[in-house]
Amino acid sequence: MNIMLFGAPGAGKGTQAKFIEEKYGIPQVSTGDILRKAVADGTPMGLEAKHYMREGKLVPDGIIIGIIRDRLSEEDCRKGFILDGFPRTEPQARALDQLLGEMGKKIDVVISLNVPDSTIVDRVTGRRVCTSCGASFHTEYAPSKKEGICDLCGGELFTRKDDNEETVTKRLVEYHSQTAPLFDYYKKEKLMEELDGTQGMTEVTRKIFEILEQKNKEKS
Ligand code: AP5
Ligand code: MG
């Protein structure tokens, strides 16, 4: 299954991608995680991307499309993948179509996690992320058992540099102007499944699994 998770910053894409990854054994492909690693490693791509990310701006399409081209060609994506945070602009969506066409693949389903802006700031400012496995926690809604330590791998939790109110507001502006219009594109392609992302995490996961089981049945 080739799955795309769609939604605003803080909608729960990363959280749900981890659950899907665990259940179906297909990898999460998060452009945000790949960029953060490049920034931490100080690679040339990381150095270029860093300023955009700190400012809550989108990183230029050329960089992102290159990342996806490389990542989707890796062996572990052969049986499927979960796109998290890509595509985010029209040129990225077009590049994805072209790339998948070249690879003889297609997207099976786009799951949109619908969460209003009023909920987003709270979610993002309370988020804590594992330095080691990338799992997301929340000080209030999903606290780790031991403060500052990841439940899954024991790694240290940190607060992302862009998870402050000012930057989140800018990320939301980028989302509404550049990414939200893609919703109609995938709806027209009849790939879009919408979920109320304000429900509890377990409920959202349950509904995602229901959609995926249905899609699996349709495929076989
Ligand atoms: P990226 O890392 O992709 O950030 P984002 O899209 O802003 O999304 P987030 O990771 O903030 O949110 P999420 O939906 O994964 O939420 P999560 O599950 O963690 O991108 C970062 C930056 O990189 C961008 O700003 C841009 O600069 C650049 N970039 C990346 N991709 C790019 C691209 N394609 N093109 C150009 N630039 C790109 O959940 C959030 C919090 O809420 C957590 O604390 C979680 O515990 C909690 N939570 C989750 N679900 C629930 C629930 N149901 N109820 C209560 N709390 C919940
Ligand atoms: Mg994320």
Side-chain angles (χ1 to χ4, degrees):
M1 279 265 240
N2 301 324
I3 303 162
M4 183 191 295
L5 294 179
F6 190 85
K13 305 181 295 294
T15 302
Q16 297 300 332
K18 291 267 179 258
F19 294 133
I20 303 171
E21 189 175 58
E22 205 185 347
K23 176 157 172 151
Y24 291 93
I26 52 175
Q28 169 194 21
V29 174
S30 158
T31 39
D33 287 350
I34 295 169
L35 289 166
R36 272 184 292 282
K37 181 162 189 319
V39 171
D41 293 347
T43 67
M45 179 177 82
L47 289 175
E48 196 179 342
K50 188 172 168 179
H51 306 285
Y52 294 97
M53 296 173 80
R54 293 270 163 92
E55 288 296 311
K57 299 254 178 236
L58 292 182
V59 172
D61 289 332
I63 296 181
I64 301 292
I65 293 164
I67 290 177
I68 287 291
R69 185 172 279 278
D70 291 348
R71 185 64 188 90
L72 294 189
S73 314
E74 285 178 39
E75 179 61 23
D76 64 337
C77 289
R78 216 165 38 87
K79 285 196 188 144
F81 48 78
I82 310 153
L83 293 178
D84 161 9
F86 176 89
R88 261 161 139 119
T89 64
E90 205 192 306
Q92 290 182 19
R94 273 193 268 112
L96 177 66
D97 283 348
Q98 191 187 335
L99 178 63
L100 292 179
E102 285 166 17
M103 298 170 98
K105 293 184 178 184
K106 62 178 187 55
I107 295 294
D108 294 299
V109 62
V110 180
I111 300 177
S112 173
L113 301 173
N114 298 345
V115 177
D117 288 7
S118 51
T119 308
I120 296 290
V121 174
D122 202 29
R123 278 208 187 168
V124 168
T125 50
R127 170 167 49 196
R128 300 291 178 269
V129 183
C130 177
T131 34
S132 176
C133 73
S136 277
F137 295 85
H138 191 282
T139 48
E140 198 183 329
Y141 311 128
S144 57
K145 291 193 185 88
K146 209 167 154 201
E147 203 187 322
I149 304 293
C150 176
D151 289 352
L152 307 182
C153 74
E156 210 178 308
L157 302 185
F158 77 107
T159 302
R160 274 169 46 177
K161 291 244 170 24
D162 57 348
D163 277 355
N164 55 73
E165 197 166 340
E166 195 192 339
T167 314
V168 172
T169 309
K170 291 184 190 160
R171 281 157 60 197
L172 281 170
V173 170
E174 291 282 78
Y175 173 74
H176 288 294
S177 64
Q178 311 237 44
T179 311
L182 297 180
F183 182 93
D184 288 339
Y185 176 71
Y186 291 109
K187 190 141 191 154
K188 262 190 217 135
E189 299 282 310
K190 304 217 180 320
L191 291 173
M192 186 60 87
E193 296 283 344
E194 286 184 77
L195 281 185
D196 174 3
T198 63
Q199 302 168 102
M201 266 172 227
T202 332
E203 185 56 13
V204 176
T205 311
R206 195 182 66 75
K207 292 202 167 136
I208 290 179
F209 288 170
E210 246 176 47
I211 292 171
L212 296 181
E213 289 308 314
Q214 183 59 34
K215 291 283 162 190
N216 252 335
K217 267 193 214 145
E218 285 169 17
K219 263 192 115 170
S220 56

